[in-house]
Amino acid sequence: VFTSSKGTNVGLLKISSFSQETPNQVRTSLQEFKNNEQTNIAALVLDLRGNAGGYMPAGVDVAKLFLPPKTRIISEVDRTQRATIYVSDGVGSETTLPLYLLVDERTASASEIVTAALQDNGRATILGSKTFGKGRIQNVQPLSEGGIAVTRAKYITPKGNDIHGVGITPNLALESCKSMDSAAVCLTNVI
């Protein structure tokens, strides 16, 4: 938790990568913010700068935590053009506090799933610089020496965009925000 330059108490969650544990860690942090009357947060920030992704289902599950029930998160489209649509279930959702996401050119893959879902559904304001643009889901197949990444599907944002090679443009570019800057420094005069 930090106090912004405008005097707002802000809950900060820095997610450096997505693993199977990430959704529960985020859920626990949200519960701690709610239960701590001393902090009395008025906004939330997810800092996804430098997050290259990781476990794709964790990105979907984190997005679910911030969206109302039956909201589209992402569509996974395989080589035969068959789509699997992921929607939020609304369980444990935090949909009332203002939400901001900090992103940069190293924000990719599962992080972009969260970013696109929250931006396209009008749930969060995206701040920073354009994301990497990795809109493909890959499995790594081991070889005798090393491995090979095999693309099994692409993902499409709730508004129908394929961000692969394009990235996600933030709602507000923060030119002066550097990867080593704290979230509080980057958000000076924003929140």
Side-chain angles (χ1 to χ4, degrees):
V1 176
F2 68 92
T3 302
S4 73
S5 61
K6 295 183 176 184
T8 303
N9 285 345
V10 179
L12 173 64
L13 296 174
K14 170 72 175 161
I15 303 175
S16 55
S17 68
F18 285 90
S19 68
Q20 290 179 330
E21 293 80 29
T22 305
N24 283 331
Q25 292 168 339
V26 171
R27 188 178 294 110
T28 298
S29 294
L30 290 172
Q31 202 58 45
E32 288 172 2
F33 288 147
K34 284 182 182 178
N35 293 339
N36 188 343
E37 292 178 17
Q38 292 176 323
T39 58
N40 194 26
I41 64 168
L44 284 170
V45 172
L46 294 184
D47 189 347
L48 300 176
R49 292 175 297 162
N51 183 327
Y55 186 59
M56 176 268 197
V60 171
D61 288 343
V62 167
K64 286 180 182 180
L65 295 173
F66 298 98
L67 293 167
K70 300 180 182 171
T71 303
R72 184 180 294 224
I73 295 171
I74 210 80
S75 297
E76 180 182 322
V77 181
D78 68 16
R79 285 186 220 131
T80 67
Q81 299 305 306
R82 187 178 65 223
T84 302
I85 299 170
Y86 295 88
V87 296
S88 62
D89 52 18
V91 176
S93 292
E94 170 47 64
T95 59
T96 57
L97 286 172
L99 181 61
Y100 301 87
L101 272 63
L102 272 175
V103 299
D104 65 11
E105 65 282 349
R106 295 179 305 141
T107 302
S109 195
S111 296
E112 289 174 303
I113 289 173
V114 174
T115 303
L118 299 177
Q119 183 182 51
D120 280 8
N121 287 297
R123 176 60 185 99
T125 302
I126 312 305
L127 308 165
S129 56
K130 185 183 274 193
T131 64
F132 183 80
K134 184 178 182 289
R136 299 296 180 261
I137 300 166
Q138 298 174 318
N139 292 342
V140 176
Q141 302 296 321
L143 299 173
S144 58
E145 292 186 30
I148 186 169
V150 177
T151 299
R152 68 175 177 87
K154 64 181 176 181
Y155 62 82
I156 304 297
T157 71
K159 288 190 174 177
N161 298 314
D162 181 351
I163 61 142
H164 193 71
V166 178
I168 299 168
T169 301
N171 300 99
L172 178 63
L174 299 177
E175 309 295 335
S176 62
C177 180
K178 305 299 179 217
S179 61
M180 299 308 292
D181 290 339
S182 70
V185 167
C186 288
L187 298 171
T188 298
N189 297 320
V190 176
I191 300 178

